[in-house]
Amino acid sequence: MSSSRVAVEDLDAGMHADEDAINVLFVCLGNICRSPMAEGAFRRTVQQLGFKNKFRRIDSCGTASYHSGERPDPRTVQLLAKHGIHTSHLARQLATSDFNDFDYILAMDDANLRDITSAQPKGSGAKVMLFGNFGVNKSEQIQDPYYGGQAGFDRNYAQIVRFTKGFLREVFGADIDE
């Protein structure tokens, strides 16, 4: 694998993470378009900006199970590859254990956020929020591109990179440009 092409699975810091490293989970409806894209782009961006060791685990899932075990949508895979990101992710559904395993659970849109919060057990320590809260326009939605064209996927990718930088600024006080 060339240095310009990175498998997203290789970017989890795991044992090399900082002591206070966090776990982040991205959630959309089916876990084949937006959330695996967010997982890959987030990993790549934190690596490029030098924040890899701030994360122990980065993952994605869906609120629904109808795509469980499937690879991401080919348009997501193609877009990630265009940015030098390879993924072998298989879709999975949000699990009760995720609320204990992840520090942040980031929803792609308001419907996902409602589904996640309704499943969240009382006493869970996970911070459940809209990923768009880390954008310039708080509460920005990452719309589902599934039934649309490539432009929707491109727009989603740009949003994800912006929100990732906002996340790093807000959570870690990173001094990085928009």
Side-chain angles (χ1 to χ4, degrees):
M1 182 181 314
S2 74
S3 61
S4 64
R5 184 177 159 103
V6 177
V8 294
E9 294 80 9
D10 295 340
L11 298 182
D12 272 341
M15 291 176 30
H16 303 290
D18 291 349
E19 189 174 308
D20 59 348
I22 62 174
N23 299 320
V24 178
L25 180 66
F26 296 96
V27 185
C28 68
L29 179 61
N31 193 215
I32 60 168
C33 294
R34 298 170 290 170
S35 58
M37 182 189 303
E39 177 187 348
F42 188 91
R43 287 176 191 239
R44 177 62 170 233
T45 304
V46 301
Q47 180 196 36
Q48 289 175 330
L49 295 174
F51 287 85
K52 175 183 171 187
N53 289 346
K54 295 290 184 188
F55 300 91
R56 183 164 286 109
R57 184 172 171 205
I58 301 166
D59 196 4
S60 67
C61 67
T63 59
S65 65
Y66 35 79
H67 291 293
S68 289
E70 294 179 17
R71 299 233 333 111
D73 185 287
R75 295 166 292 181
T76 294
V77 173
Q78 180 183 19
L79 182 62
L80 289 173
K82 175 179 150 185
H83 291 280
I85 304 165
H86 167 76
T87 183
S88 60
H89 181 80
L90 296 177
R92 70 175 186 88
Q93 187 176 18
L94 180 68
T96 304
S97 60
D98 290 328
F99 294 97
N100 294 317
D101 295 343
F102 290 91
D103 302 292
Y104 287 87
I105 299 178
L106 304 174
M108 300 296 112
D109 63 31
D110 285 336
N112 304 144
L113 184 60
R114 280 190 302 275
D115 290 342
I116 297 164
T117 55
S118 71
Q120 186 174 18
K122 291 186 190 285
S124 160
K127 295 176 183 159
V128 176
M129 61 183 59
L130 192 66
F131 190 28
N133 286 349
F134 296 103
V136 175
N137 304 318
K138 300 295 183 191
S139 300
E140 189 174 341
Q141 308 283 306
I142 300 178
Q143 298 298 325
D144 193 343
Y146 186 77
Y147 293 105
Q150 188 61 44
F153 286 83
D154 294 336
R155 183 173 39 258
N156 288 168
Y157 187 87
Q159 287 178 296
I160 290 164
V161 171
R162 276 191 295 113
F163 299 164
T164 299
K165 291 177 180 179
F167 182 94
L168 294 173
R169 282 191 293 273
E170 189 168 319
V171 174
F172 296 110
D175 183 21
I176 52 177
D177 295 332
E178 182 67 26

